[in-house]
Amino acid sequence: MPRLYRILLAALLLTLAQLTGTARAGNDNPIVLVHGFLGFGPDQFPRSGFLYWGGYGDLAAHLRSYRGPHTVFTATVGAIASNRERAAELYAQLKGGCVDYGARPRSAGTADKAVQCWAADPANNPLGYPPALYPAWDAGHPLHMIGHSQGGTTIRALVELLEHGDPQAGNGDLYRGGKFGWIRSVTTISAPHNGTTLRDAVLDILPELRSPLRDWLLADLANWELAPDGARNFNAWARTSPRVYYFSVGTVATEAGATCCNDTDRTIAPLQNRYYQYPRNDMFTYYKTYAGEWIVPSMLQHGMGGYTQDAPGRVRVDAAWFANDGVVNTNSMRAPAGHPVRDFDGTPLPGTWNFLGNYRGYDHFDILNWPNKGPPAEPVYERISDILFAL
């Protein structure tokens, strides 16, 4: 009898060990993917077959099936809107209703934009609005949110408004606050929590070219929240909630200067100084023109890999900012300055940023699997999925 018992126990343990990730998961809350600055939704380029989340592949579909099935939504928010405005759009798109931008002045990115609406109840939709993604959303039906680039700061704005509201923006549902527990976790990927020095490079590379991007940067130059000075103001407003699990991922596609053999593009930077950073061979070609020590071909203005400034009253930018992924400085991706942060040790803690590390060799869009010779993104998202569904 004892021998039979041991055999049955061993069989039971083997069966438990072979269960799928879904069966072992601590939750199965849906995931929402939020794109970054100048990003786009899954239906905006249907003929091309190109997706923001995956390029010619589909990272959302991968997350749905990886140890799944899981529910994964792909949101669409303003390409050049502020974090607050994008948060308002995200809220309406998920919960249903029309976007309420509040009483505050709208930015150039949304000033002339028609208000969008989504139907919470498809059976009661006389105006034919697109269906809301998750009308059941509340504290009893929370969400995991993953944001790339500005998508990460957009989610942080949404958490702040959900929990604390903003009476000065009006009495709309989003601005009343008190919605604690609606977001289970926030994961940011390559997010400019403390801003990016890219703007300085863009304005020097394109001194005469008129474009929506350049016009918008110039329109709100002093307080642009994706630059270090604007990010400082945003970080003072968008708090880290003690109720939410936060995770962050960094990407870096530059290397410290060396006389040889550091996998950087020697055509762009044949002579290097070990104090500065230089673009890797596998970085997207256009980023290489401003990601290194100098903006190429001018050699008169430092690029992201060498740009510093310490003007009074401004955020100090020093050598810690040099490493970057071609769009965002790597040190900015870890956590908002002044907010609690720790290196992830396998045990998630709420109310603090659990930093998952810097992924070397990934530029800003390698992490989305956009066509390039960089490493694949799937392992990063699989790791995130394992963590989120075990919470």
PDB file of all heavy atoms in Angstrom, residues 5-6 27 29 36 58 73 90 103 138 144 177 188 205 218 225 227 236 244 260 271 281 301 322 331 364-365 375:
ATOM      1  N   TYR A   5       0.839   4.172  -2.838  1.00  0.00           N
ATOM      2  CA  TYR A   5       0.635   5.563  -2.472  1.00  0.00           C
ATOM      3  C   TYR A   5       1.722   6.448  -3.069  1.00  0.00           C
ATOM      4  O   TYR A   5       1.459   7.530  -3.598  1.00  0.00           O
ATOM      5  CB  TYR A   5       0.616   5.702  -0.946  1.00  0.00           C
ATOM      6  CG  TYR A   5       0.514   7.120  -0.455  1.00  0.00           C
ATOM      7  CD1 TYR A   5      -0.710   7.765  -0.412  1.00  0.00           C
ATOM      8  CD2 TYR A   5       1.657   7.822  -0.066  1.00  0.00           C
ATOM      9  CE1 TYR A   5      -0.787   9.082   0.024  1.00  0.00           C
ATOM     10  CE2 TYR A   5       1.584   9.129   0.376  1.00  0.00           C
ATOM     11  CZ  TYR A   5       0.355   9.758   0.417  1.00  0.00           C
ATOM     12  OH  TYR A   5       0.266  11.047   0.843  1.00  0.00           O
ATOM     13  N   ARG A   6       2.976   5.951  -2.993  1.00  0.00           N
ATOM     14  CA  ARG A   6       4.081   6.742  -3.545  1.00  0.00           C
ATOM     15  C   ARG A   6       3.938   6.886  -5.048  1.00  0.00           C
ATOM     16  O   ARG A   6       4.233   7.941  -5.613  1.00  0.00           O
ATOM     17  CB  ARG A   6       5.413   6.071  -3.185  1.00  0.00           C
ATOM     18  CG  ARG A   6       5.785   6.188  -1.710  1.00  0.00           C
ATOM     19  CD  ARG A   6       7.264   5.861  -1.498  1.00  0.00           C
ATOM     20  NE  ARG A   6       7.577   4.510  -1.924  1.00  0.00           N
ATOM     21  CZ  ARG A   6       7.502   3.458  -1.116  1.00  0.00           C
ATOM     22  NH1 ARG A   6       7.097   3.607   0.132  1.00  0.00           N
ATOM     23  NH2 ARG A   6       7.820   2.250  -1.571  1.00  0.00           N
ATOM     24  N   ASN A  27      -3.894  35.103 -12.039  1.00  0.00           N
ATOM     25  CA  ASN A  27      -5.004  35.892 -12.545  1.00  0.00           C
ATOM     26  C   ASN A  27      -5.051  35.736 -14.059  1.00  0.00           C
ATOM     27  O   ASN A  27      -4.120  35.230 -14.677  1.00  0.00           O
ATOM     28  CB  ASN A  27      -4.828  37.364 -12.183  1.00  0.00           C
ATOM     29  CG  ASN A  27      -3.692  38.016 -12.977  1.00  0.00           C
ATOM     30  OD1 ASN A  27      -3.900  38.549 -14.056  1.00  0.00           O
ATOM     31  ND2 ASN A  27      -2.473  37.951 -12.436  1.00  0.00           N
ATOM     32  N   ASN A  29      -6.460  38.569 -15.883  1.00  0.00           N
ATOM     33  CA  ASN A  29      -6.969  39.893 -16.260  1.00  0.00           C
ATOM     34  C   ASN A  29      -6.488  40.257 -17.660  1.00  0.00           C
ATOM     35  O   ASN A  29      -5.359  39.922 -18.041  1.00  0.00           O
ATOM     36  CB  ASN A  29      -6.482  40.942 -15.268  1.00  0.00           C
ATOM     37  CG  ASN A  29      -6.864  40.623 -13.833  1.00  0.00           C
ATOM     38  OD1 ASN A  29      -6.025  40.693 -12.940  1.00  0.00           O
ATOM     39  ND2 ASN A  29      -8.108  40.253 -13.602  1.00  0.00           N
ATOM     40  N   GLY A  36       3.149  54.483 -28.505  1.00  0.00           N
ATOM     41  CA  GLY A  36       3.871  55.687 -28.155  1.00  0.00           C
ATOM     42  C   GLY A  36       3.602  56.864 -29.075  1.00  0.00           C
ATOM     43  O   GLY A  36       2.678  56.865 -29.893  1.00  0.00           O
ATOM     44  N   ASP A  58       2.851  40.029 -35.222  1.00  0.00           N
ATOM     45  CA  ASP A  58       1.755  40.479 -34.361  1.00  0.00           C
ATOM     46  C   ASP A  58       2.057  40.070 -32.918  1.00  0.00           C
ATOM     47  O   ASP A  58       1.802  38.939 -32.497  1.00  0.00           O
ATOM     48  CB  ASP A  58       0.441  39.853 -34.835  1.00  0.00           C
ATOM     49  CG  ASP A  58      -0.778  40.490 -34.169  1.00  0.00           C
ATOM     50  OD1 ASP A  58      -0.622  41.088 -33.090  1.00  0.00           O
ATOM     51  OD2 ASP A  58      -1.881  40.375 -34.734  1.00  0.00           O
ATOM     52  N   PHE A  73      -6.002  43.579 -25.638  1.00  0.00           N
ATOM     53  CA  PHE A  73      -6.555  44.673 -26.434  1.00  0.00           C
ATOM     54  C   PHE A  73      -5.423  45.570 -26.930  1.00  0.00           C
ATOM     55  O   PHE A  73      -4.440  45.790 -26.217  1.00  0.00           O
ATOM     56  CB  PHE A  73      -7.527  45.515 -25.608  1.00  0.00           C
ATOM     57  CG  PHE A  73      -8.693  44.764 -25.059  1.00  0.00           C
ATOM     58  CD1 PHE A  73      -8.839  44.582 -23.680  1.00  0.00           C
ATOM     59  CD2 PHE A  73      -9.662  44.234 -25.896  1.00  0.00           C
ATOM     60  CE1 PHE A  73      -9.917  43.897 -23.162  1.00  0.00           C
ATOM     61  CE2 PHE A  73     -10.748  43.538 -25.389  1.00  0.00           C
ATOM     62  CZ  PHE A  73     -10.883  43.366 -24.022  1.00  0.00           C
ATOM     63  N   LEU A  90      -7.987  56.972 -23.978  1.00  0.00           N
ATOM     64  CA  LEU A  90      -7.852  55.566 -23.584  1.00  0.00           C
ATOM     65  C   LEU A  90      -9.011  55.150 -22.683  1.00  0.00           C
ATOM     66  O   LEU A  90      -9.578  54.053 -22.839  1.00  0.00           O
ATOM     67  CB  LEU A  90      -6.508  55.383 -22.879  1.00  0.00           C
ATOM     68  CG  LEU A  90      -6.101  53.967 -22.464  1.00  0.00           C
ATOM     69  CD1 LEU A  90      -6.091  53.027 -23.654  1.00  0.00           C
ATOM     70  CD2 LEU A  90      -4.711  54.004 -21.804  1.00  0.00           C
ATOM     71  N   ALA A 103     -11.832  70.618 -18.866  1.00  0.00           N
ATOM     72  CA  ALA A 103     -11.903  72.059 -19.074  1.00  0.00           C
ATOM     73  C   ALA A 103     -10.558  72.693 -19.413  1.00  0.00           C
ATOM     74  O   ALA A 103     -10.500  73.852 -19.817  1.00  0.00           O
ATOM     75  CB  ALA A 103     -12.472  72.717 -17.810  1.00  0.00           C
ATOM     76  N   ASP A 138     -13.726  47.739 -14.125  1.00  0.00           N
ATOM     77  CA  ASP A 138     -13.884  48.377 -12.821  1.00  0.00           C
ATOM     78  C   ASP A 138     -12.932  47.688 -11.848  1.00  0.00           C
ATOM     79  O   ASP A 138     -12.068  46.899 -12.274  1.00  0.00           O
ATOM     80  CB  ASP A 138     -15.335  48.328 -12.326  1.00  0.00           C
ATOM     81  CG  ASP A 138     -15.892  46.904 -12.190  1.00  0.00           C
ATOM     82  OD1 ASP A 138     -15.097  45.933 -12.142  1.00  0.00           O
ATOM     83  OD2 ASP A 138     -17.130  46.752 -12.153  1.00  0.00           O
ATOM     84  N   HIS A 144      -4.266  44.776 -16.852  1.00  0.00           N
ATOM     85  CA  HIS A 144      -2.823  44.969 -16.958  1.00  0.00           C
ATOM     86  C   HIS A 144      -2.583  45.914 -18.141  1.00  0.00           C
ATOM     87  O   HIS A 144      -3.172  45.719 -19.204  1.00  0.00           O
ATOM     88  CB  HIS A 144      -2.104  43.650 -17.243  1.00  0.00           C
ATOM     89  CG  HIS A 144      -2.247  42.619 -16.174  1.00  0.00           C
ATOM     90  ND1 HIS A 144      -1.749  42.777 -14.894  1.00  0.00           N
ATOM     91  CD2 HIS A 144      -2.825  41.382 -16.203  1.00  0.00           C
ATOM     92  CE1 HIS A 144      -2.011  41.699 -14.191  1.00  0.00           C
ATOM     93  NE2 HIS A 144      -2.672  40.840 -14.948  1.00  0.00           N
ATOM     94  N   GLY A 177     -12.147  60.872  -9.820  1.00  0.00           N
ATOM     95  CA  GLY A 177     -11.237  60.088  -9.001  1.00  0.00           C
ATOM     96  C   GLY A 177     -11.953  58.963  -8.272  1.00  0.00           C
ATOM     97  O   GLY A 177     -13.102  58.620  -8.575  1.00  0.00           O
ATOM     98  N   THR A 188       6.077  49.502 -18.444  1.00  0.00           N
ATOM     99  CA  THR A 188       6.541  50.473 -19.437  1.00  0.00           C
ATOM    100  C   THR A 188       7.778  49.929 -20.140  1.00  0.00           C
ATOM    101  O   THR A 188       8.664  49.351 -19.502  1.00  0.00           O
ATOM    102  CB  THR A 188       6.851  51.829 -18.788  1.00  0.00           C
ATOM    103  OG1 THR A 188       7.939  51.690 -17.859  1.00  0.00           O
ATOM    104  CG2 THR A 188       5.628  52.366 -18.050  1.00  0.00           C
ATOM    105  N   ILE A 205      18.780  68.791 -36.621  1.00  0.00           N
ATOM    106  CA  ILE A 205      18.854  68.040 -37.869  1.00  0.00           C
ATOM    107  C   ILE A 205      17.943  68.631 -38.924  1.00  0.00           C
ATOM    108  O   ILE A 205      18.260  68.659 -40.109  1.00  0.00           O
ATOM    109  CB  ILE A 205      18.455  66.563 -37.632  1.00  0.00           C
ATOM    110  CG1 ILE A 205      19.529  65.866 -36.816  1.00  0.00           C
ATOM    111  CG2 ILE A 205      18.258  65.813 -38.940  1.00  0.00           C
ATOM    112  CD1 ILE A 205      19.143  64.467 -36.403  1.00  0.00           C
ATOM    113  N   LEU A 218       8.050  72.967 -31.458  1.00  0.00           N
ATOM    114  CA  LEU A 218       8.288  74.387 -31.305  1.00  0.00           C
ATOM    115  C   LEU A 218       7.138  75.093 -30.600  1.00  0.00           C
ATOM    116  O   LEU A 218       7.329  76.082 -29.904  1.00  0.00           O
ATOM    117  CB  LEU A 218       8.522  75.023 -32.683  1.00  0.00           C
ATOM    118  CG  LEU A 218       9.860  74.681 -33.353  1.00  0.00           C
ATOM    119  CD1 LEU A 218       9.883  75.204 -34.780  1.00  0.00           C
ATOM    120  CD2 LEU A 218      11.024  75.264 -32.567  1.00  0.00           C
ATOM    121  N   GLU A 225       6.330  67.715 -22.394  1.00  0.00           N
ATOM    122  CA  GLU A 225       6.480  66.751 -21.310  1.00  0.00           C
ATOM    123  C   GLU A 225       7.329  65.546 -21.662  1.00  0.00           C
ATOM    124  O   GLU A 225       7.628  64.734 -20.787  1.00  0.00           O
ATOM    125  CB  GLU A 225       5.109  66.306 -20.820  1.00  0.00           C
ATOM    126  CG  GLU A 225       4.265  65.627 -21.878  1.00  0.00           C
ATOM    127  CD  GLU A 225       2.814  65.467 -21.437  1.00  0.00           C
ATOM    128  OE1 GLU A 225       2.502  65.798 -20.279  1.00  0.00           O
ATOM    129  OE2 GLU A 225       1.994  65.030 -22.249  1.00  0.00           O
ATOM    130  N   ALA A 227      10.346  66.063 -22.958  1.00  0.00           N
ATOM    131  CA  ALA A 227      11.703  66.561 -22.739  1.00  0.00           C
ATOM    132  C   ALA A 227      11.981  66.558 -21.239  1.00  0.00           C
ATOM    133  O   ALA A 227      11.048  66.516 -20.424  1.00  0.00           O
ATOM    134  CB  ALA A 227      11.844  67.967 -23.317  1.00  0.00           C
ATOM    135  N   ALA A 236       5.966  65.176 -11.072  1.00  0.00           N
ATOM    136  CA  ALA A 236       5.463  65.726  -9.814  1.00  0.00           C
ATOM    137  C   ALA A 236       3.951  65.569  -9.700  1.00  0.00           C
ATOM    138  O   ALA A 236       3.403  65.541  -8.592  1.00  0.00           O
ATOM    139  CB  ALA A 236       5.842  67.206  -9.710  1.00  0.00           C
ATOM    140  N   VAL A 244      -0.723  49.640  -7.126  1.00  0.00           N
ATOM    141  CA  VAL A 244      -0.448  49.125  -8.472  1.00  0.00           C
ATOM    142  C   VAL A 244       0.944  48.495  -8.515  1.00  0.00           C
ATOM    143  O   VAL A 244       1.891  48.997  -7.890  1.00  0.00           O
ATOM    144  CB  VAL A 244      -0.549  50.260  -9.517  1.00  0.00           C
ATOM    145  CG1 VAL A 244      -0.184  49.759 -10.915  1.00  0.00           C
ATOM    146  CG2 VAL A 244      -1.960  50.860  -9.521  1.00  0.00           C
ATOM    147  N   CYS A 260      38.431  50.006 -31.212  1.00  0.00           N
ATOM    148  CA  CYS A 260      37.936  49.015 -32.166  1.00  0.00           C
ATOM    149  C   CYS A 260      36.998  48.040 -31.476  1.00  0.00           C
ATOM    150  O   CYS A 260      36.902  48.028 -30.243  1.00  0.00           O
ATOM    151  CB  CYS A 260      39.087  48.229 -32.800  1.00  0.00           C
ATOM    152  SG  CYS A 260      39.814  46.978 -31.700  1.00  0.00           S
ATOM    153  N   LEU A 271      36.306  57.655 -35.428  1.00  0.00           N
ATOM    154  CA  LEU A 271      37.119  58.029 -34.274  1.00  0.00           C
ATOM    155  C   LEU A 271      36.214  58.186 -33.070  1.00  0.00           C
ATOM    156  O   LEU A 271      35.223  58.920 -33.120  1.00  0.00           O
ATOM    157  CB  LEU A 271      37.870  59.333 -34.550  1.00  0.00           C
ATOM    158  CG  LEU A 271      38.826  59.308 -35.757  1.00  0.00           C
ATOM    159  CD1 LEU A 271      39.439  60.685 -35.967  1.00  0.00           C
ATOM    160  CD2 LEU A 271      39.913  58.264 -35.548  1.00  0.00           C
ATOM    161  N   ASN A 281      26.061  48.840 -34.831  1.00  0.00           N
ATOM    162  CA  ASN A 281      25.848  48.499 -36.245  1.00  0.00           C
ATOM    163  C   ASN A 281      24.396  48.162 -36.542  1.00  0.00           C
ATOM    164  O   ASN A 281      23.880  48.478 -37.615  1.00  0.00           O
ATOM    165  CB  ASN A 281      26.730  47.306 -36.636  1.00  0.00           C
ATOM    166  CG  ASN A 281      28.098  47.741 -37.114  1.00  0.00           C
ATOM    167  OD1 ASN A 281      28.216  48.654 -37.921  1.00  0.00           O
ATOM    168  ND2 ASN A 281      29.131  47.100 -36.596  1.00  0.00           N
ATOM    169  N   GLN A 301      27.235  69.955 -33.336  1.00  0.00           N
ATOM    170  CA  GLN A 301      26.284  69.815 -32.246  1.00  0.00           C
ATOM    171  C   GLN A 301      26.336  68.389 -31.720  1.00  0.00           C
ATOM    172  O   GLN A 301      26.312  67.432 -32.484  1.00  0.00           O
ATOM    173  CB  GLN A 301      24.863  70.129 -32.750  1.00  0.00           C
ATOM    174  CG  GLN A 301      23.739  69.718 -31.815  1.00  0.00           C
ATOM    175  CD  GLN A 301      23.687  70.561 -30.546  1.00  0.00           C
ATOM    176  OE1 GLN A 301      24.067  71.718 -30.573  1.00  0.00           O
ATOM    177  NE2 GLN A 301      23.243  69.979 -29.449  1.00  0.00           N
ATOM    178  N   PHE A 322      23.951  59.553 -21.751  1.00  0.00           N
ATOM    179  CA  PHE A 322      24.503  59.295 -23.088  1.00  0.00           C
ATOM    180  C   PHE A 322      23.970  58.006 -23.730  1.00  0.00           C
ATOM    181  O   PHE A 322      23.649  57.984 -24.912  1.00  0.00           O
ATOM    182  CB  PHE A 322      26.028  59.241 -23.038  1.00  0.00           C
ATOM    183  CG  PHE A 322      26.682  60.584 -22.775  1.00  0.00           C
ATOM    184  CD1 PHE A 322      28.051  60.652 -22.507  1.00  0.00           C
ATOM    185  CD2 PHE A 322      25.955  61.755 -22.782  1.00  0.00           C
ATOM    186  CE1 PHE A 322      28.670  61.878 -22.265  1.00  0.00           C
ATOM    187  CE2 PHE A 322      26.568  62.991 -22.536  1.00  0.00           C
ATOM    188  CZ  PHE A 322      27.927  63.047 -22.279  1.00  0.00           C
ATOM    189  N   ASN A 331      18.764  55.835 -19.329  1.00  0.00           N
ATOM    190  CA  ASN A 331      18.604  56.080 -17.890  1.00  0.00           C
ATOM    191  C   ASN A 331      17.215  56.627 -17.563  1.00  0.00           C
ATOM    192  O   ASN A 331      16.766  56.544 -16.428  1.00  0.00           O
ATOM    193  CB  ASN A 331      19.690  57.028 -17.369  1.00  0.00           C
ATOM    194  CG  ASN A 331      19.444  58.478 -17.757  1.00  0.00           C
ATOM    195  OD1 ASN A 331      18.894  58.764 -18.824  1.00  0.00           O
ATOM    196  ND2 ASN A 331      19.863  59.401 -16.910  1.00  0.00           N
ATOM    197  N   HIS A 364      14.873  51.493 -30.357  1.00  0.00           N
ATOM    198  CA  HIS A 364      13.541  51.871 -29.890  1.00  0.00           C
ATOM    199  C   HIS A 364      12.426  51.072 -30.558  1.00  0.00           C
ATOM    200  O   HIS A 364      11.344  50.925 -29.985  1.00  0.00           O
ATOM    201  CB  HIS A 364      13.322  53.365 -30.125  1.00  0.00           C
ATOM    202  CG  HIS A 364      12.238  53.961 -29.282  1.00  0.00           C
ATOM    203  ND1 HIS A 364      12.309  54.041 -27.913  1.00  0.00           N
ATOM    204  CD2 HIS A 364      11.032  54.514 -29.613  1.00  0.00           C
ATOM    205  CE1 HIS A 364      11.215  54.609 -27.429  1.00  0.00           C
ATOM    206  NE2 HIS A 364      10.419  54.905 -28.437  1.00  0.00           N
ATOM    207  N   PHE A 365      12.685  50.567 -31.756  1.00  0.00           N
ATOM    208  CA  PHE A 365      11.640  49.815 -32.450  1.00  0.00           C
ATOM    209  C   PHE A 365      11.998  48.354 -32.663  1.00  0.00           C
ATOM    210  O   PHE A 365      11.156  47.569 -33.080  1.00  0.00           O
ATOM    211  CB  PHE A 365      11.276  50.506 -33.764  1.00  0.00           C
ATOM    212  CG  PHE A 365      10.605  51.841 -33.531  1.00  0.00           C
ATOM    213  CD1 PHE A 365      11.288  53.028 -33.760  1.00  0.00           C
ATOM    214  CD2 PHE A 365       9.317  51.893 -33.045  1.00  0.00           C
ATOM    215  CE1 PHE A 365      10.675  54.247 -33.509  1.00  0.00           C
ATOM    216  CE2 PHE A 365       8.693  53.107 -32.802  1.00  0.00           C
ATOM    217  CZ  PHE A 365       9.375  54.295 -33.031  1.00  0.00           C
ATOM    218  N   PRO A 375      17.689  42.191 -32.385  1.00  0.00           N
ATOM    219  CA  PRO A 375      17.230  40.924 -31.805  1.00  0.00           C
ATOM    220  C   PRO A 375      15.701  40.856 -31.761  1.00  0.00           C
ATOM    221  O   PRO A 375      15.016  41.875 -31.817  1.00  0.00           O
ATOM    222  CB  PRO A 375      17.823  40.955 -30.396  1.00  0.00           C
ATOM    223  CG  PRO A 375      17.996  42.414 -30.094  1.00  0.00           C
ATOM    224  CD  PRO A 375      18.317  43.078 -31.389  1.00  0.00           C
TER     225      PRO A 375
END
